[in-house]
Amino acid sequence: AQTVTQSQPEMSVQEAETVTLSCTYDTSENNYYLFWYKQPPSRQMILVIRQEAYKQQNATENRFSVNFQKAAKSFSLKISDSQLGDTAMYFCAFMIIGTSYGKLTFGQGTILTVHP
Amino acid sequence: GAGVSQSPSNKVTEKGKDVELRCDPISGHTALYWYRQSLGQGLEFLIYFQGNSAPDKSGLPSDRFSAERTGGSVSTLTIQRTQQEDSAVYLCASSLVQGDTQYFGPGTRLTVL
């Protein structure tokens, strides 16, 4: 079975600063995707970034980037120039490619608060 | 285009009643997923549809839970004889094909009194 662990229940950061959210996962599979989703108080889950396990290059999306360490099974999210609108719960998620029908396995989430 | 929509946004019901939760996926998305988000259990997978078929029902917690999808589009999650432990946010997601990125709806918050 696959597991995803987010060891930081809560994090806080000052506006304009950088913050890193941690995620580790456990799997015996070799082909998979990793995701970070953001869930603001509105409850809508929003895709932040996706990483394909077969790609060595770390994914980036504007102010969001990941540090993907496949051997260590680590997938952290770095948010640069934090903005008040980044305040949300962040979920790390894992999907096996080809089997398990593409269902996502989620971590427990990290509540991020950006302070002015 | 329009995203995934879910209705109702909130539902309060009495223990023992049946409830139906609706999901409208993004047009053209063939894969549809239901998840449940609760304080104690976090985010859990419930069921997956490919077209109108549900090849993976492994996450349904009991036989009180059922789901269907019609016309390869709208899906309904039905909970019979609701219990207090069914209180949660029920999230629906769709993707263009199985294994692609999933896009989520705003969820239905179910409260069982």
Side-chain angles (χ1 to χ4, degrees), chain B residues 17-93:
Chain B
K17 301 281 190 183
D18 297 352
V19 295
E20 285 189 354
L21 312 179
R22 177 186 168 109
C23 172
D24 281 88
I26 294 172
S27 179
H29 280 197
T30 64
L32 186 148
Y33 301 80
W34 284 96
Y35 295 88
R36 179 169 72 173
Q37 185 175 21
S38 58
L39 282 175
Q41 302 298 322
L43 271 155
E44 312 168 90
F45 165 81
L46 296 178
I47 188 169
Y48 155 69
F49 285 93
Q50 178 60 46
N52 293 335
S53 300
D56 190 357
K57 305 179 183 179
S58 63
L60 293 178
S62 77
D63 58 7
R64 297 185 295 105
F65 287 70
S66 63
E68 66 173 10
R69 189 179 183 195
T70 56
S73 181
V74 172
S75 176
T76 303
L77 177 69
T78 301
I79 308 173
Q80 296 178 310
R81 304 181 303 280
T82 52
Q83 303 294 312
Q84 288 184 331
E85 60 263 28
D86 299 335
S87 295
V89 173
Y90 290 82
L91 294 167
C92 175

Side-chain angles (χ1 to χ4, degrees), chain B residues 90-107:
Chain B
Y90 290 82
L91 294 167
C92 175
S94 70
S95 61
L96 189 61
V97 295
Q98 175 208 321
D100 203 353
T101 297
Q102 292 174 32
Y103 296 91
F104 284 79

Side-chain angles (χ1 to χ4, degrees), chain A residues 2-41:
Chain A
Q2 282 60 236
T3 59
V4 179
T5 302
Q6 293 178 249
S7 58
Q8 305 153 315
E10 294 188 43
M11 294 280 284
S12 64
V13 64
Q14 293 296 125
E15 198 174 6
E17 293 187 347
T18 295
V19 64
T20 298
L21 307 183
S22 301
C23 173
T24 58
Y25 59 93
D26 188 24
T27 184
S28 57
E29 300 288 335
N30 198 45
N31 294 318
Y32 50 88
Y33 295 151
L34 292 160
F35 303 85
W36 280 97
Y37 281 91
K38 163 186 174 180
Q39 187 178 41

Side-chain angles (χ1 to χ4, degrees), chain A residues 33 35 37 39 42-47 50 89 91 95-107, chain B residues 4 9-10 33 35 37 43 45 48 55-56 58 89 91 98-109:
Chain A
Y33 295 151
F35 303 85
Y37 281 91
Q39 187 178 41
S42 66
R43 211 169 61 203
Q44 178 91 45
M45 291 278 273
I46 302 165
L47 176 69
R50 174 176 118 166
M89 179 166 275
F91 290 94
M95 176 201 293
I96 299 171
I97 301 170
T99 60
S100 79
Y101 303 107
K103 65 185 177 187
L104 291 166
T105 301
F106 289 90
Chain B
V4 178
S9 179
N10 292 283
Y33 301 80
Y35 295 88
Q37 185 175 21
L43 271 155
F45 165 81
Y48 155 69
D56 190 357
S58 63
V89 173
L91 294 167
Q98 175 208 321
D100 203 353
T101 297
Q102 292 174 32
Y103 296 91
F104 284 79
T108 294
R109 180 178 297 282

